[in-house]
Amino acid sequence: MKNILETKELIKSFGGVHAVDHLSVNIQEGQITGLVGPNGSGKTTLINLLSGFSLHDGGSVFFGGAERKKITPWENQIYNITRTFQQIKLFDQMSVLDNILVIITERNPFLALFERHSKYHISQAEDILKQVDLFEKRFHNAGELSYGQKKLLEIGRVLAMDTKIILFDEPFAGLFPEIIKKIENIIKALKQEGKTIVLVEHNMNIIRNLCDHLIVMDAGKLLAEGHPEKVLTERVVLEAYLGE
Amino acid sequence: MEYIFHITILISIYGILALAQNLVMGSAGLLTIAGAAFYGIGAYTAAILATAFGFNIFTTLIIAPIVAGLIALGIGISFARFRDDYFLLATLGFLMIFNTVVRNWENVTGGSFGIAGIPKPHIFSLTFDTPFSFLVLALIVLFIVIGICYFISRSSFGRVLNAIREDEDALKIFGYKTSTYKLMVFVIGAMLSSLGGVLLASYITFIDANLFTVNESILLWAMIILGGIAKNRGALLGALLLITIPEALRFFGFPNEIAGLMRQCIYGLLLVFLMLYRPKGILGQYKL
Amino acid sequence: MITWQIILYILYAGVLYSLLVIGFGFILRSVKFFNVAYGGAFLVGGYMMFLFYRVLVISFIPAIFLSLFISGLYLFLSHKFIFSFLINRKANNFVLLIASFGFLTATSSVLGMIFGSQATIIARRLSDIHSLNIFGGTLNIVEALAIIIIFTLICIFAFIYFKTHFGRVIRAVEDDSEVAELVGIPKGKIFSQLFFIGGALAGLGGIIQGLNVGIVPASGLLFMLPVIVISVLGGIRSFWGGIIGAFILAIAQKLTVVFFGGSWEQAVPFVILIIVLLVRPEGILKK
Amino acid sequence: MNKTAKIVVGIVVVVLVIFGLSSMSKKSGTDSETVKIGFMGPLSGDTANIGQNAQAAIAIAVDEINNAGGVLGKNVEVIYEDDGCSGATAANAVSKLINTDKVVAILGAACSGATLGAAPIAEAAKVPMLSYCSTNPTVSQAGDYIFRNVPSDFFQANYAANYLMGKGMKNVALLTSKDDWGDGLKKAFTDAFTKAGGVIVSSDSFDPASKDLKAQLTTIKGMNVDAVYFAGYTDPSIAGLKQAHDLGIKAQFFGADAWDDTKIWSELGTLGDGAMFTVVGTNSSADFKAKMKAKLGKDDLIYCSNYAYDGLKILAAAINKADSVSKTAVKDALSKIKYTGGVGSAEVMFDNNGDPTTAAYIIKRALGGKLTEVSQ
């Protein structure tokens, strides 16, 4: 399997502290790769670097083999990558329907000026909302939704982007079991469609249940990598988690 | 009766300005205080072209937006990297420099003399010199601007602007080059504001730098916030209210030297009240 | 001879701006928004001094302290009844800025109604303010005293800010008011104290300006804009940056007048602002 | 803010708007038992004292005219409007006077900027307009319906230039306010003084809102000029003269008509000693001064008020002469009028530009906070 996404000696430092320290990982295409590690181990920072949310200070990132020197967020669509956010970043004062419509309409500003609400776009958005059980709430403002519904809307946005690579940043955090079940099925469905998924998560059952491959990070470095069953039993991983 | 025409003309001029300000600040969330500057650029372009080069006001209705648009393009590009407070400060700087340049550039802008004797618009045999005829012209331009604003806010472009106001960083991730959008809306806003300037110049036939000060921009802020942010109707309502109510003050029989200050005081308290209790304004459902 | 005189005037202008920017900096660094109502305290200080000293003929020193108290109270009340609600409601900076702009406009128009829009001269007789000869250059008594008083104030506030417990508390609130609150620092109380101190400093600025030249309702905004430019120029985060920024602006303004003529003076702060924003938005002494 | 609150706010808003609009139309009912004359002057802003002072003089003039039988058998009613000394507000005010109040003639404005702003509208509506204090030279070409009974700055600057040359002050520095009034004087004085053989050593200006002229005065101090032509309104002049005294500038300070404001000299006291300025001559009668003192409560008489008082009397005389309230007839009568015995200038006649034919200037000197007239 060709690695669709690879980093070499990736560095990101905040005032001298290396949040990501010479990290070299590669993500296999069509697989669900788990990304685990104690808090502050640089997981979210890595996601931010891969999605251009913040710029890396050193090392290089390869998309499908080609290096992406300066990762600008608006080129993510061209490089077929999208993400969800750990702290929810929805368009609060816009309706749920608009939150999805914004994702599927014209990107070029001049064309966007002349693009009207077409029936096709609205039905497409409504299908996506049905997938995440938010169809009845489509005219509510995103800000008025419950926490779980907001997480579902973020996933709806990712579905609307329909990219090859999807980075989930703790999508399950703080949700009720039935919603977790729902999101797991969505992710499994995405995997059937051949999408590559990176999943940042703390809950070990979900990791074992979903992930084909697991990366463990600690203090910005790669601690261990491999099949979840094998990796989770390694002594060094347990120590990092349980602390000496 | 003509006095009501006069007030309605003022309402339509300020309606145009409020719509432009609302487009830039209300829907796109770009904090700009340069509204009065582009208003002034439009007025001075029309005045200079009309008095020095004998242009017809109708032609300046086309040229002024181009001039304002180009200047806005330059300003927009150089201020592109600023966000919120810093963008506001940069536009404040631009407005104050514009004001001082206009006040001092004697041979072009007439310096502190201002420019007098700006002709009324005329087309073929028709001249718009009576209050009623000018009102018709002002309303036509107002409806054109309303049309443009509704066209923009109804399009996908308008929805993207709202998303920029809500969370620009998130929107970038989903493939939008938000800096181009912001630049475009800033330029469109400037072009629309300049139309208001052209109308003002040919209506009161005399302009000087005191018409385009910080207080004018604050008045535009008050209008779109009172009316309701990001709603075209809100901007128009704000313009209507903030022109008629103070004018009614003129008939309240306040001793005249107090009337001006009383009006200023009302604006101030209104802004404080709105920010505290009704940040959405009357019609709006968005808050900044 | 002229250059020495210009240097003296630069010193005076720089000192006056520093006074204003210290008070403004305390508020700006803690509540994180450009509180334009600070200009209102500048006016209140000046007009109260006129009321006490010239109208009610109270003697000079008590009149000053009374005016400082009232201008401090003015800003304290503005925090209590307007800004604290907005801050607790997590309103964004722009909403706070508009509210402070509205409050300044209302204050200056009310003062205009009471004291008239003409310049209000605080000194009973302008000849009271005699001029002093300083190695050839001249400064009037108000300017000379202002330089001395403000220098001492700068040292006092620097000492308080960097060395005392109260200074540490202020710096904690400035760094991150939420964290400070977790650690048990009463954020609200500190804010209102800072507003009071800021108001008093602005009031002192108003008194000095009123004594030296006279004060008009419009000078509230007229003085606020350069102060905002200075705090951006000097680096919002740093105490000393503001003072350096004050002197840079004073030098730039006076030199512009000497070389380009008086009418360009008003544009100077904004030309500097745009240059600083483009070249070094975090200001000179970023923390 | 639930639904009901929105409705309540809506109702309040609609009521306010209707009240605003209705109160306008109510006012415009034409009751024809009075002859309406509009007054425009700066009643707010930093030149408010000029407007309020003139307003008092006009109140006196109206009473005198109405006691003497009014005009065409009817009483004169003056409608006061504030022009804020700005062109835009003046245009707004004059449009209200012409269209809503249907005035026969307009007395105003004081500031040249306001007059220039209102003139084209009055000219288009063919309403005669008599300015009582606008001395800017460009007002002469403002239109056939635009008159003024105060001479243009052109004369004032000439008069000052010749006086200074007469006193042997060859090197003069200019310090003028950056507004229409200041720039008008600067241009007129520069032309007049250079033509008379004088040398303009430096020509600087200041922002009318700022009071800090220290830097400008410091450069002037370095040039040891004979005199400084200092054209500023009340506030900048007080600050400027004080700062000049601080700097110990020995040159003769020479100002223009705006210095005829007693507040300047009462504030400056002895610091203003020696300062001189040109002002249009007035022959205020003792009776007029007494009435003004009674009206104002202090003997603070600005010369514009004399000309405002005369202005109303001239308009009344013109309407009587035209024997009709038709605006064009009043305009023609005005252009041919010959008014004598005014408190402004002794005799008033208008040339075809609408400017007064004669211009009597006097020079006043400040000493110990008091003004004395200097004989030429």
Side-chain angles (χ1 to χ4, degrees):
Chain A
M1 268 168 298
K2 174 160 73 51
N3 39 36
I4 190 167
L5 180 59
E6 195 184 351
T7 67
K8 282 206 178 71
E9 303 301 328
L10 196 61
I11 301 164
K12 175 70 180 178
S13 55
F14 293 108
V17 171
H18 282 303
V20 170
D21 195 347
H22 300 285
L23 186 72
S24 305
V25 286
N26 51 54
I27 311 294
Q28 306 306 330
E29 190 174 2
Q31 280 200 338
I32 299 178
T33 311
L35 185 58
V36 294
N39 277 343
S41 57
K43 306 193 295 294
T44 302
T45 315
L46 177 61
I47 297 291
N48 288 346
L49 295 179
L50 294 179
S51 61
F53 201 74
S54 46
L55 296 175
H56 55 273
D57 300 334
S60 46
V61 181
F62 297 86
F63 280 77
E67 188 185 358
R68 216 175 144 187
K69 287 260 181 321
K70 186 174 182 307
I71 303 176
T72 47
W74 53 81
E75 276 162 3
N76 285 344
Q77 200 182 19
I78 304 157
Y79 286 87
N80 242 300
I81 182 168
T82 188
R83 60 168 295 176
T84 66
F85 293 91
Q86 192 183 3
Q87 304 99 354
I88 293 170
K89 284 172 81 66
L90 291 172
F91 308 127
D92 289 342
Q93 290 183 100
M94 282 162 70
S95 71
V96 170
L97 185 64
D98 276 348
N99 269 264
I100 300 295
L101 274 173
V102 147
I103 306 297
I104 53 178
T105 49
E106 190 47 60
R107 291 300 187 276
N108 172 314
F110 295 97
L111 301 177
L113 254 178
F114 301 98
E115 191 189 49
R116 279 283 156 281
H117 290 289
S118 67
K119 288 277 170 298
Y120 166 68
H121 281 141
I122 292 176
S123 63
Q124 204 188 352
E126 280 165 356
D127 297 344
I128 290 167
L129 287 178
K130 285 186 185 109
Q131 279 181 40
V132 284
D133 297 351
L134 286 173
F135 180 70
E136 312 75 28
K137 293 274 186 185
R138 63 189 182 287
F139 296 121
H140 290 246
N141 274 356
E144 291 150 15
L145 296 178
S146 72
Y147 179 74
Q149 286 164 332
K150 286 185 181 172
K151 281 278 179 182
L152 283 169
L153 185 55
E154 283 235 355
I155 290 173
R157 274 197 320 195
V158 157
L159 294 178
M161 277 297 278
D162 194 17
T163 53
K164 284 216 210 62
I165 312 167
I166 303 169
L167 314 173
F168 287 96
D169 193 349
E170 295 189 30
F172 301 99
L175 294 182
F176 297 116
E178 69 284 357
I179 298 184
I180 291 180
K181 199 94 220 82
K182 172 141 235 15
I183 296 176
E184 275 179 359
N185 297 342
I186 293 173
I187 292 182
K188 283 192 183 117
L190 287 172
K191 187 181 176 212
Q192 294 342 26
E193 291 161 23
K195 299 257 188 310
T196 311
I197 292 163
V198 175
L199 177 61
V200 173
E201 192 36 59
H202 284 289
N203 182 326
M204 286 315 156
N205 319 2
I206 296 173
I207 295 287
R208 283 195 192 84
N209 187 340
L210 282 178
C211 298
D212 314 321
H213 187 73
L214 187 61
I215 293 171
V216 183
M217 281 179 70
D218 187 17
K221 292 192 187 56
L222 176 61
L223 201 59
E225 195 178 359
H227 192 277
E229 291 318 325
K230 184 169 68 57
V231 164
L232 285 178
T233 55
E234 277 178 26
R235 212 173 55 72
V236 67
V237 168
L238 297 175
E239 265 167 23
Y241 260 82
L242 311 173
E244 278 70 32
Chain B
M1 194 43 197
E2 285 81 2
Y3 187 62
I4 291 185
F5 294 151
H6 169 71
I7 292 302
T8 331
I9 289 170
L10 278 186
I11 291 170
S12 32
I13 291 176
Y14 276 100
I16 292 168
L17 295 172
L19 281 168
Q21 183 80 14
N22 182 42
L23 189 65
V24 177
M25 203 165 96
S27 47
L30 272 173
L31 308 183
T32 164
I33 194 168
F38 294 116
Y39 178 40
I41 288 171
Y44 269 97
T45 319
I48 295 165
L49 290 181
T51 49
F53 306 99
F55 275 67
N56 177 332
I57 292 294
F58 279 95
T59 39
T60 58
L61 268 175
I62 294 139
I63 296 167
I66 295 167
V67 170
L70 288 174
I71 294 174
L73 197 63
I75 298 288
I77 290 170
S78 43
F79 292 170
R81 77 168 78 102
F82 301 139
R83 280 276 187 87
D84 296 341
D85 291 6
Y86 283 108
F87 186 78
L88 179 69
L89 282 181
T91 51
L92 175 67
F94 168 63
L95 172 62
M96 298 305 277
I97 292 172
F98 164 76
N99 209 287
T100 315
V101 163
V102 154
R103 222 182 272 277
N104 286 296
W105 200 7
E106 249 91 41
N107 38 35
V108 173
T109 62
S112 44
F113 288 95
I115 300 173
I118 301 161
K120 291 285 180 183
H122 58 276
I123 189 160
F124 311 127
S125 64
L126 194 63
T127 55
F128 295 82
D129 47 14
T130 63
F132 179 71
S133 56
F134 197 91
L135 173 60
V136 169
L137 175 68
L139 288 175
I140 291 168
V141 177
L142 175 64
F143 283 119
I144 292 170
V145 171
I146 291 173
I148 293 172
C149 285
Y150 269 100
F151 176 82
I152 290 177
S153 47
R154 282 279 184 283
S155 67
S156 311
F157 185 90
R159 191 187 309 117
V160 172
L161 289 184
N162 293 345
I164 288 174
R165 181 194 64 218
E166 290 311 314
D167 196 327
E168 186 178 351
D169 294 332
L171 191 61
K172 274 187 184 157
I173 297 290
F174 295 109
Y176 282 96
K177 199 165 190 317
T178 53
S179 50
T180 329
Y181 276 85
K182 288 200 291 188
L183 187 62
M184 272 178 74
V185 79
F186 189 71
V187 167
I188 295 169
M191 293 169 84
L192 297 181
S193 308
S194 68
L195 289 178
V198 172
L199 285 177
L200 176 84
S202 87
Y203 178 59
I204 63 169
T205 69
F206 168 84
I207 50 168
D208 64 4
N210 302 330
L211 289 167
F212 312 109
T213 58
V214 182
N215 291 343
E216 204 65 29
S217 289
I218 302 297
L219 175 61
L220 292 182
W221 279 359
M223 281 179 183
I224 63 169
I225 293 166
L226 173 67
I229 296 177
K231 298 276 278 190
N232 294 322
R233 272 173 292 139
L236 290 171
L237 177 67
L240 175 79
L241 292 180
L242 287 187
I243 296 289
T244 40
I245 294 171
E247 279 303 315
L249 212 61
R250 189 191 279 266
F251 294 86
F252 245 113
F254 279 106
N256 290 68
E257 66 274 15
I258 304 287
L261 288 170
M262 184 70 80
R263 196 193 315 234
Q264 205 70 11
C265 192
I266 287 175
Y267 288 153
L269 293 178
L270 187 71
L271 278 179
V272 174
F273 173 80
L274 282 171
M275 285 305 109
L276 275 176
Y277 301 110
R278 184 65 190 171
K280 290 189 178 129
I282 295 167
L283 287 179
Q285 80 257 32
Y286 297 112
K287 321 210 270 295
L288 263 175
Chain C
M1 212 293 293
I2 299 176
T3 43
W4 168 239
Q5 182 62 55
I6 294 287
I7 291 167
L8 279 177
Y9 282 139
I10 287 174
L11 198 59
Y12 169 69
V15 145
L16 185 60
Y17 278 143
S18 318
L19 170 71
L20 293 176
V21 97
I22 291 175
F24 185 73
F26 280 143
I27 296 173
L28 175 63
R29 286 192 295 273
S30 49
V31 289
K32 307 282 189 298
F33 77 95
F34 293 109
N35 180 6
V36 176
Y38 183 77
F42 175 88
L43 290 173
V44 165
Y47 279 107
M48 285 308 114
M49 184 63 182
F50 169 75
L51 185 68
F52 296 129
Y53 179 66
R54 188 154 178 193
V55 174
L56 307 177
V57 198
I58 298 170
S59 62
F60 194 68
I61 304 297
I64 287 190
F65 283 106
L66 260 174
S67 317
L68 292 185
F69 176 74
I70 291 184
S71 59
L73 193 64
Y74 161 85
L75 217 54
F76 170 81
L77 293 176
S78 80
H79 171 259
K80 203 156 163 25
F81 291 110
I82 298 174
F83 298 120
S84 53
F85 296 126
L86 291 174
I87 293 168
N88 298 343
R89 208 177 61 193
K90 295 279 183 295
N92 73 28
N93 284 355
F94 183 61
V95 169
L96 286 156
L97 180 70
I98 296 184
S100 69
F101 231 105
F103 194 61
L104 170 63
T105 320
T107 316
S108 56
S109 38
V110 165
L111 288 172
M113 286 185 222
I114 301 165
F115 295 97
S117 17
Q118 295 254 257
T120 313
I121 313 270
I122 295 178
R124 290 181 188 139
R125 278 180 314 287
L126 272 173
S127 46
D128 290 354
I129 307 173
H130 47 270
S131 54
L132 311 163
N133 187 321
I134 301 163
F135 316 116
T138 65
L139 272 177
N140 70 35
I141 188 87
V142 171
E143 288 158 350
L145 272 177
I147 291 176
I148 298 157
I149 293 169
I150 294 172
F151 261 122
T152 36
L153 275 177
I154 291 175
C155 303
I156 293 167
F157 275 98
F159 174 75
I160 294 171
Y161 186 70
F162 290 107
K163 292 288 182 297
T164 63
H165 169 67
F166 182 59
R168 263 194 306 283
V169 165
I170 296 177
R171 271 180 283 125
V173 167
E174 280 171 7
D175 286 348
D176 192 332
S177 45
E178 273 72 26
V179 165
E181 202 162 24
L182 297 177
V183 176
I185 297 173
K187 182 172 86 165
K189 205 160 84 63
I190 298 292
F191 279 170
S192 28
Q193 279 168 357
L194 285 178
F195 269 70
F196 185 84
I197 296 167
L201 287 174
L204 181 60
I207 293 169
I208 292 170
Q209 177 71 359
L211 279 171
N212 187 14
V213 166
I215 193 163
V216 266
S219 48
L221 185 63
L222 210 59
F223 266 87
M224 259 328 292
L225 300 176
V227 167
I228 291 176
V229 168
I230 292 168
S231 27
V232 172
L233 170 69
I236 287 179
R237 282 277 149 274
S238 91
F239 178 85
W240 292 110
I243 291 160
I244 292 170
F247 280 95
I248 291 175
L249 182 65
I251 294 167
Q253 261 184 331
K254 294 302 169 214
L255 294 186
T256 316
V257 170
V258 169
F259 293 111
F260 297 104
S263 50
W264 292 98
E265 188 172 12
Q266 213 195 359
V268 167
F270 298 100
V271 170
I272 295 177
L273 172 67
I274 302 251
I275 294 168
V276 164
L277 286 176
L278 289 174
V279 168
R280 197 177 155 81
E282 66 281 5
I284 307 163
L285 284 177
K286 77 170 168 50
K287 216 184 229 166
Chain D
M1 279 299 244
N2 48 35
K3 215 67 189 110
T4 48
K6 267 198 185 121
I7 294 160
V8 162
V9 167
I11 293 164
V12 161
V13 154
V14 166
V15 160
L16 269 177
V17 167
I18 291 168
F19 174 79
L21 289 174
S22 65
S23 65
M24 288 170 212
S25 46
K26 170 167 60 53
K27 196 81 171 136
S28 68
T30 51
D31 41 59
S32 61
E33 29 342 289
T34 63
V35 171
K36 284 199 194 138
I37 297 179
F39 166 83
M40 280 208 308
L43 301 173
S44 60
D46 44 22
T47 50
N49 61 326
I50 298 176
Q52 286 145 13
N53 206 285
Q55 206 173 0
I58 293 195
I60 300 170
V62 169
D63 301 344
E64 282 175 7
I65 295 171
N66 288 341
N67 302 349
V71 161
L72 305 180
K74 296 194 197 99
N75 271 350
V76 170
E77 179 200 355
V78 175
I79 297 151
Y80 298 96
E81 280 299 334
D82 171 24
D83 64 24
C85 199
S86 101
T89 338
N92 201 350
V94 80
S95 151
K96 175 195 168 294
L97 285 175
I98 294 172
N99 300 317
T100 312
D101 302 315
K102 305 263 186 290
V103 293
V104 173
I106 294 172
L107 185 62
C111 307
S112 310
T115 307
L116 284 170
I121 296 175
E123 180 74 12
K126 296 211 178 345
V127 171
M129 183 166 141
L130 173 62
S131 161
Y132 53 91
C133 219
S134 298
T135 56
N136 188 306
T138 49
V139 172
S140 314
Q141 296 79 25
D144 309 340
Y145 281 74
I146 314 301
F147 298 82
R148 58 172 160 193
N149 58 354
V150 279
S152 122
D153 283 341
F154 181 74
F155 298 107
Q156 176 171 202
N158 273 343
Y159 198 85
N162 298 334
Y163 178 78
L164 285 175
M165 281 305 286
K167 286 283 184 266
M169 299 185 185
K170 300 246 176 330
N171 304 319
V172 168
L174 282 177
L175 185 58
T176 55
S177 150
K178 189 73 222 170
D179 56 27
D180 48 13
W181 178 72
D183 284 346
L185 279 173
K186 173 156 93 172
K187 192 149 18 76
F189 185 88
T190 313
D191 304 342
F193 198 66
T194 33
K195 209 184 300 109
V199 171
I200 305 276
V201 175
S202 90
S203 166
D204 203 346
S205 60
F206 56 89
D207 174 4
S210 97
K211 315 275 180 297
D212 181 348
L213 311 176
K214 292 186 275 233
Q216 292 95 326
L217 288 169
T218 311
T219 42
I220 289 172
K221 181 179 177 182
M223 296 170 195
N224 52 53
V225 293
D226 304 331
V228 177
Y229 192 67
F230 180 16
Y233 281 118
T234 307
D235 296 340
S237 308
I238 297 174
L241 289 171
K242 166 79 176 73
Q243 284 148 28
H245 180 268
D246 286 355
L247 283 163
I249 299 177
K250 293 289 169 282
Q252 165 67 50
F253 273 79
F254 206 99
D257 48 22
W259 278 12
D260 186 42
D261 175 359
T262 46
K263 180 188 177 200
I264 300 176
W265 312 108
S266 61
E267 289 288 351
L268 282 169
T270 54
L271 301 182
D273 287 0
M276 287 199 217
F277 57 92
T278 51
V279 74
V280 176
T282 58
N283 45 18
S284 329
S285 60
D287 163 46
F288 176 70
K289 278 197 197 139
K291 283 186 183 157
M292 277 298 276
K293 192 167 196 317
K295 202 84 173 172
L296 282 167
K298 49 186 163 71
D299 58 7
D300 176 359
L301 181 57
I302 299 175
Y303 79 97
C304 293
S305 311
N306 295 48
Y307 285 85
Y309 175 87
D310 280 0
L312 195 69
K313 292 271 177 105
I314 293 170
L315 284 178
I319 297 168
N320 273 332
K321 190 159 179 284
D323 195 20
S324 97
V325 279
S326 108
K327 301 185 187 98
T328 332
V330 169
K331 173 239 165 188
D332 299 336
L334 203 54
S335 50
K336 293 197 269 323
I337 201 144
K338 183 171 185 304
Y339 180 79
T340 54
V343 291
S345 38
E347 185 200 67
V348 178
M349 277 199 302
F350 296 113
D351 60 22
N352 40 36
N353 282 339
D355 286 343
T357 46
T358 56
Y361 277 96
I362 56 166
I363 291 179
K364 289 188 178 174
R365 220 168 95 82
L367 195 64
K370 292 283 175 293
L371 291 175
T372 54
E373 206 170 310
V374 168
S375 59
Q376 274 68 37

